[in-house]
Amino acid sequence: MSKPKRPNSKAANSNPASLANSQSRAPKGLPDRDTLLKYIRDGGETDKSALAKAFGLKGEDRRALRHLLQALEAEGALGKRGRKGFAEAGALPEVGVVDVVERDPDGEMLVKLVKGDDASLVPLSPDSRAEAGPAPGMGDRLLVRFEKLENGEVEARLIKRLGQSAHRLLGVIRKARREIRVEPVDRRSKDTLVLDPAEGADLRDGDLVIAQVGPSTGRYGPHRGKLLEVVGREDEPRAASLIAIHAHGIPMGFPPAAEAEAEAAEPPTLQGRQDLRDVPFITIDPADARDHDDAVYAEPDDDPKNPGGWIVWVAIADVAAYVKPGSALDRTAREKGNSVYFPDRVEPMLPERLSNGLCSLREGENRATMAVRMVFGADGRKRSHRFVRGLMRSAAKLSYEQAQEAIEGRTDPKTMALLETILKPLWAAYACLKKGRDARSPLAIESLERKIAIDEMGRIASITPRAALEAHRLIEEFMIQANVSAAETLEAKRTPLIYRIHDTPSPEKLQALADFLATLGLPWTKEPPRTERFNKLLAETRGTPHAEIVNEVVLRSQMQAIYSAENIGHYGLNLDKYAHFTSPIRRYADLIVHRALIKALGLGEDGLTDRDIAGIKDTAEVITFAERRAMAAERDATDRYVAAFLSDRVGAEFDGKVTGVTRFGLFVRLSETGADGLVPVSTLGDEYFVHDDRAHALVGERTGARWPLGMTVRVRLREATPLTGGLLFDMLSEPMAADPNAPKPRLGMRGRNDRGRGGAGFSGPRRGGGGGSGPGKPGRPKNIRNGRKKGGPRR
């Protein structure tokens, strides 16, 4: 059994101020390259001031040290750690803060050090010393311990989840034995809080509260707590989103100063704007949308030099006119980063006065806009574009379904009047743009998004697949082209901006994909990845029994898109330049791009400021984290709603597919609802099952029976827990027979000290996870949660 050991026993001393005292005395004077690298390698994370103190440097020597550090960073020998820190490139501390950023094809979670762009991805594993609680998921921020195994691999052992303040706790009131206790909702801590009886006299059992953590009541007793707020009831239908908001630290509401600025906003005028009110823009959005960021219009190009060409207008809400740099609204929007959408509510980035009022492109009302006029040739390639700051008036508000039905011949009185003059030209323009899109060949991963319908009581009425309409693809492509135009304009003007970037898949992910495809008899060569190759694979398997799992595994092989001040292009869209411009009501990144366009094109005095420019890298990091935080909160709320929806069907049987294979069990996605749950390895049979990570299967050591990734199975729902969002299944299907031609299972995972029948663990097929109940102990694992697929990498 592999014995974990520290990757670097000295790396734990990451406090720069104490670095010099953690080692033998450094020689005085400016060090040479090798001496400096050895000192940093031995001591771990440090910064220039600590190094200057350790080597006794002053004046010119300090400046020379700075140049030496910059040179070492440029050549890749050192990596940045935060804003001022350095460490040996790729070095990991003993304990660090990480984000869950990726999944491998088997569903194992991969984490990345928050303060280290050069640090590699590390698999996440459980720790017997970690606090019990639901599984970490995509976007979660964790405190982990890095440990090196005897085989040379490094893994991250969970210590605790971060996000909610360490001094504030969201919990449920439990009254028993003359005590009033607060039990954490997601059980991140083994401790509960005890409230003063006088303070909790009016509380009821089952109240959801926020409490402040106080001192312990004794050496082994629980901590005292102070009641801060009652936020609802655990049995209320809408409690799921409240729990997610508080558990993930989603900023709620707005400070009085921001609300005051929003209320003081006035309707737009023509001053400084081009009058676009004669352009019959329409909005096409989800039926329940309240904030309308974008409107579109298309017409044939009458330029004889562009036969068969089209002019496409995209008008976007001019949020920059209302949210001024440095204002209370601006500070709040930056902190929020984006609006967060739950099945039953929205936590908006901007106050309703703006998000659903002056900034929303309402039908028949004058609105300030940043619009782009794009010209496309008959081949679908963009010939030119120009931005204008204007005043527009939406001619109509349509839902995706309305627009689609009208094009298919099922008009209503409203769409009948728009069909010939507006809708048909839009579809004809899209047919033209699609030629360019097809030539570009962006990733064609299919969305498996589910629509959750909430009734008037706040309960889930149904969970159904969300229809993928051509109307969705039309708006998506128009928005992509507008985003490209923004990035191209700002690069041409040499104006700083926040890019939306998407890296190519890593070699490790591609190797894992090739291993899995080999189990299906599908070849995958090791040539550099191109989107066309992925699309060819998806097309070849579409309509086959393997289509869904191949789509899922290809999705898992991709990196996540992020915001960055540095451009590397967008791999998934197959674009060299890309920035978010089209949703400034709900994304702060788009607001920064709007300000950059205003500054670059001289469209007003409210453009990008020097302060914005100086902080643009930090802003990109802040909003990337906010996006991950929102994804995690949205996922958790949906998980809880789905668990509540299925809670009265415990004992029912369902068809599904194995979407995750881990050493502690199988994750199964139900065909009916798309919900994911865990089948613990301890319940799969009488023999010992091992995780063959190359074959992507659990394999019986005695019989060779297999539970492979992608297998169609039937399961029985054993447990559904709305409070945590967890689903637990019993397997009803039989395993596949042993494959006599299969290579001997690779048992490299055995030595991770967490294997066994029902061995502990938690990573799941996507964003969720579950855990084992301990070696040889069947029963409910400690860390159970289900995941859901929201659609593909956010673009």
Side-chain angles (χ1 to χ4, degrees):
M1 181 167 62
S2 299
K3 181 179 179 181
K5 54 186 178 181
R6 307 277 193 270
N8 185 337
S9 60
K10 296 180 182 180
N13 183 12
S14 59
N15 182 354
S18 61
L19 178 66
N21 298 325
S22 68
Q23 303 168 256
S24 57
R25 187 180 301 274
K28 299 300 179 183
L30 182 67
D32 60 25
R33 178 187 183 279
D34 293 339
T35 301
L36 182 60
L37 282 176
K38 182 178 185 303
Y39 188 86
I40 295 174
R41 182 182 306 117
D42 293 342
E45 183 181 331
T46 184
D47 63 20
K48 182 171 68 72
S49 297
L51 289 171
K53 182 177 180 181
F55 287 97
L57 305 181
K58 298 181 179 179
E60 289 297 327
D61 284 344
R62 287 179 68 99
R63 283 186 281 276
L65 174 65
R66 183 176 71 246
H67 294 315
L68 179 56
L69 290 171
Q70 291 171 343
L72 290 172
E73 183 188 2
E75 69 182 55
L78 292 182
K80 291 286 286 183
R81 294 294 182 268
R83 298 180 66 179
K84 298 182 178 180
F86 289 94
E88 184 181 19
L92 297 170
E94 182 178 349
V95 174
V97 177
V98 300
D99 286 332
V100 182
V101 296
E102 299 291 345
R103 299 178 307 274
D104 68 14
D106 280 343
E108 296 280 5
M109 295 294 174
L110 302 176
V111 300
K112 187 172 181 61
L113 196 66
V114 170
K115 294 199 306 179
D117 290 342
D118 58 289
S120 60
L121 297 179
V122 179
L124 181 62
S125 293
D127 193 323
S128 59
R129 294 164 286 183
E131 299 170 342
M138 292 296 294
D140 282 352
R141 180 157 288 188
L142 315 172
L143 183 67
V144 301
R145 179 181 293 103
F146 291 102
E147 294 184 348
K148 191 172 185 179
L149 304 177
E150 289 183 351
N151 62 8
E153 296 180 358
V154 176
E155 64 183 13
R157 293 266 176 175
L158 175 68
I159 297 175
K160 67 180 296 184
R161 290 173 64 182
L162 305 175
Q164 183 174 299
S165 168
H167 303 292
R168 289 161 59 93
L169 181 144
L170 175 67
V172 182
I173 293 295
R174 298 291 183 228
K175 291 187 171 184
R177 299 189 301 275
R178 297 184 179 181
E179 280 188 333
I180 303 174
R181 294 190 170 228
V182 181
E183 295 184 356
V185 165
D186 56 5
R187 283 172 276 164
R188 295 188 205 184
S189 172
K190 295 177 181 178
D191 295 324
T192 58
L193 304 183
V194 176
L195 299 182
D196 185 283
E199 186 178 38
D202 296 331
L203 295 174
R204 294 179 296 160
D205 201 76
D207 281 345
L208 285 171
V209 302
I210 298 175
Q212 182 173 330
V213 180
S216 175
T217 57
R219 184 174 180 182
Y220 300 107
H223 287 262
R224 292 197 179 278
K226 177 180 175 59
L227 181 67
L228 298 179
E229 183 182 358
V230 179
V231 297
R233 295 275 305 164
E234 68 169 324
D235 54 0
E236 288 178 354
R238 298 178 184 272
S241 54
L242 268 179
I243 292 172
I245 286 169
H246 289 283
H248 290 277
I250 302 295
M252 292 183 68
F254 300 91
E259 290 278 15
E261 289 174 3
E263 290 300 323
E266 297 180 354
T269 67
L270 265 176
Q271 184 176 355
R273 298 184 178 278
Q274 181 176 332
D275 193 345
L276 300 176
R277 288 175 292 180
D278 59 341
V279 179
F281 289 105
I282 65 169
T283 61
I284 305 177
D285 289 296
D288 57 353
R290 299 177 64 192
D291 51 347
H292 304 285
D293 288 282
D294 56 86
V296 293
Y297 173 72
E299 60 184 355
D301 189 2
D302 58 8
D303 186 345
K305 296 180 181 179
N306 187 28
W310 284 85
I311 296 172
V312 173
W313 280 91
V314 173
I316 305 299
D318 189 357
V319 175
Y322 299 98
V323 182
K324 307 294 185 182
S327 64
L329 277 171
D330 183 45
R331 292 191 299 271
T332 304
R334 186 179 186 272
E335 178 192 7
K336 286 174 173 277
N338 46 251
S339 297
V340 187
Y341 295 85
F342 301 104
D344 65 327
R345 72 181 73 212
V346 176
E347 186 57 41
M349 187 181 78
L350 300 175
E352 187 171 0
R353 163 75 171 162
L354 298 180
S355 63
N356 187 32
L358 290 176
C359 292
S360 186
L361 305 183
R362 291 178 173 178
E363 180 180 335
E365 298 185 21
N366 289 349
R367 288 293 181 261
T369 182
M370 280 284 292
V372 58
R373 179 185 184 272
M374 299 174 287
V375 179
F376 293 88
D379 58 358
R381 298 183 184 276
K382 183 159 62 68
R383 298 290 192 263
S384 64
H385 67 265
R386 65 179 175 89
F387 286 88
V388 298
R389 206 171 190 186
L391 186 71
M392 62 156 286
R393 183 186 296 133
S394 172
K397 179 185 80 169
L398 300 181
S399 68
Y400 286 112
E401 292 77 11
Q402 267 185 297
Q404 187 69 45
E405 288 172 1
I407 285 295
E408 293 174 355
R410 302 188 303 279
T411 57
D412 58 32
K414 187 173 190 176
T415 55
M416 174 65 78
L418 304 170
L419 184 61
E420 296 297 330
T421 56
I422 295 180
L423 290 176
K424 285 188 175 180
L426 282 173
W427 254 258
Y430 170 63
C432 174
L433 269 64
K434 190 175 182 299
K435 296 177 186 177
R437 180 184 178 89
D438 292 343
R440 198 174 77 239
S441 191
L443 278 177
I445 298 173
E446 292 184 353
S447 170
L448 301 178
E449 199 169 341
R450 304 283 166 159
K451 181 178 180 180
I452 298 178
I454 305 291
D455 65 19
E456 63 277 1
M457 300 297 293
R459 297 168 301 198
I460 292 186
S462 63
I463 302 175
T464 55
R466 189 180 294 275
L469 304 176
E470 192 173 44
H472 290 116
R473 295 189 287 273
L474 180 153
I475 294 298
E476 179 187 38
E477 186 60 23
F478 283 14
M479 298 305 113
I480 288 172
Q481 293 299 331
N483 289 336
V484 170
S485 298
E488 289 176 346
T489 295
L490 293 174
E491 277 206 356
K493 295 290 186 178
R494 300 184 180 275
T495 301
L497 73 148
I498 293 177
Y499 294 92
R500 182 66 166 179
I501 63 171
H502 183 218
D503 208 349
T504 56
S506 67
E508 294 80 10
K509 283 177 171 283
L510 291 172
Q511 183 59 56
L513 174 65
D515 287 345
F516 169 70
L517 293 176
T519 68
L520 304 180
L522 298 172
W524 186 263
T525 60
K526 294 183 179 180
E527 63 188 69
R530 295 172 59 90
T531 55
E532 294 93 330
R533 289 188 64 218
F534 284 112
N535 290 342
K536 184 173 183 288
L537 170 67
L538 294 169
E540 289 173 346
T541 56
R542 194 165 291 130
T544 71
H546 302 305
E548 183 179 343
I549 195 62
V550 169
N551 186 83
E552 177 78 10
V553 173
V554 169
L555 172 63
R556 292 176 190 170
S557 72
Q558 306 304 311
M559 309 297 282
Q560 277 200 308
I562 63 171
Y563 294 106
S564 174
E566 303 295 330
N567 185 31
I568 63 169
H570 196 295
Y571 173 78
L573 294 175
N574 211 356
L575 293 168
D576 293 330
K577 304 178 183 70
Y578 194 64
H580 275 167
F581 159 77
T582 55
S583 297
I585 293 177
R586 60 185 179 91
R587 291 190 306 226
Y588 192 77
D590 304 54
L591 176 57
I592 291 294
V593 169
H594 277 233
R595 288 178 182 163
L597 288 168
I598 292 167
K599 178 182 176 65
L601 300 175
L603 298 177
E605 301 300 320
D606 45 2
L608 207 62
T609 65
D610 291 341
R611 184 174 181 177
D612 284 335
I613 293 171
I616 209 161
K617 182 177 180 181
D618 287 345
T619 297
E621 293 175 355
V622 166
I623 59 180
T624 295
F625 170 70
E627 180 184 43
R628 301 281 173 84
R629 177 180 65 191
M631 290 168 58
E634 291 168 355
R635 173 201 75 221
D636 280 0
T638 299
D639 291 347
R640 289 184 172 97
Y641 270 118
V642 171
F645 180 68
L646 293 174
S647 61
D648 60 355
R649 300 182 68 183
V650 170
E653 297 180 6
F654 300 90
D655 292 322
K657 277 188 180 293
V658 175
T659 56
V661 180
T662 68
R663 52 194 180 276
F664 51 86
L666 304 172
F667 282 89
V668 174
R669 179 177 306 145
L670 304 185
S671 303
E672 180 181 326
T673 61
D676 289 299
L678 178 71
V679 180
V681 68
S682 58
T683 66
L684 287 176
D686 295 331
E687 65 178 312
Y688 191 101
F689 282 87
V690 295
H691 177 213
D692 185 345
D693 58 346
R694 182 181 289 120
H696 303 274
L698 287 179
V699 181
E701 281 194 329
R702 177 168 49 84
T703 66
R706 296 176 297 127
W707 297 100
L709 190 68
M711 179 179 175
T712 299
V713 295
R714 189 158 181 86
V715 295
R716 179 187 295 116
L717 179 60
R718 185 206 303 181
E719 186 173 328
T721 311
L723 195 62
T724 62
L727 298 178
L728 199 65
F729 298 132
D730 291 323
M731 180 61 73
L732 301 179
S733 299
E734 294 297 322
M736 296 178 67
D739 182 357
N741 300 317
K744 185 178 180 180
R746 184 168 72 177
L747 307 180
M749 306 296 287
R750 230 189 202 288
R752 292 200 176 187
N753 209 25
D754 52 11
R755 293 292 311 277
R757 296 174 69 181
F762 49 70
S763 58
R766 288 193 307 265
R767 307 182 186 101
S773 55
K777 296 180 182 178
R780 175 177 176 156
K782 294 178 181 179
N783 305 320
I784 300 297
R785 66 177 313 281
N786 72 311
R788 74 175 171 98
K789 182 165 181 333
K790 199 170 180 179
R794 294 195 178 192
R795 293 171 175 171

